[in-house]
Amino acid sequence: MKAKALPVLDCACASLRRAARAVTQAYEAELHGTGLRATQFTLLQALQRMGTSPHPPSQGALGELLALDATTLSRSLRPLERAGWIRAAAGSDRREVCWTLTPAGRRQLARARPAWQRAQARLRAELRPKHWRLLALDLAAVAAAARGAP
């Protein structure tokens, strides 16, 4: 069943925030019971994507990928570290912190992946295939444009 269309908002910020809230709510509903929030799943998935070759990703690189400021990222990583799902290591200089998924983190991500896939499938079912393909490209372009703006 297709969702009812919402009115177009004049402000890009308001439109993106509305979409982000709605999408987050849909993913949270699917992830309920997995032990992960959507934000936590995203962090674990990003760490897995960034891998460890040749070195584990730095906190700065993770923040850059996800457009998260250092304070928000630190606050979000702490519970994952306490749960034993990620591990901090010293970077190339003493001020840099690098993060890796632990085996427990990989298992947690694998357990939650079917719920994430259900959320993806439900969202895809609501969008035309052309819109789905363009969504990721457009959102990356918007994020890059916003990062380049003063």
Side-chain angles (χ1 to χ4, degrees):
M1 176 180 187
K2 294 291 180 189
K4 183 179 102 174
L6 295 172
V8 173
L9 301 174
D10 293 334
C11 175
C13 183
S15 295
L16 287 166
R17 290 177 61 82
R18 176 177 67 182
R21 284 189 300 271
V23 170
T24 298
Q25 290 165 5
Y27 279 72
E28 290 281 346
E30 288 296 339
L31 288 167
H32 184 75
T34 67
L36 289 175
R37 304 285 314 253
T39 52
Q40 294 171 322
F41 183 89
T42 297
L43 285 167
L44 294 179
Q45 190 176 51
L47 285 171
Q48 183 179 51
R49 175 185 174 169
M50 294 174 85
T52 57
S53 308
H55 302 289
S58 69
Q59 186 163 326
L62 184 60
E64 181 71 23
L65 175 68
L66 299 175
L68 285 170
D69 65 89
T71 301
T72 301
L73 184 56
S74 292
R75 192 172 42 244
S76 300
L77 290 168
R78 267 186 246 124
L80 300 177
E81 184 179 31
R82 279 194 305 269
W85 297 332
I86 62 173
R87 180 178 309 117
S92 56
D93 82 35
R94 292 172 24 163
R95 296 169 295 175
E96 184 178 64
V97 177
C98 294
W99 293 95
T100 57
L101 278 175
T102 64
R106 290 185 193 288
R107 287 189 302 273
Q108 184 66 17
L109 188 58
R111 277 193 298 269
R113 193 168 305 279
W116 174 82
Q117 289 170 332
R118 284 191 303 274
Q120 288 277 99
R122 284 187 178 170
L123 187 55
R124 280 185 91 131
E126 291 291 328
L127 297 173
R128 288 184 232 149
K130 177 182 176 182
H131 287 153
W132 181 259
R133 285 190 306 276
L134 293 174
L135 179 67
L137 294 172
D138 287 346
L139 289 175
V142 169
R147 302 257 23 227

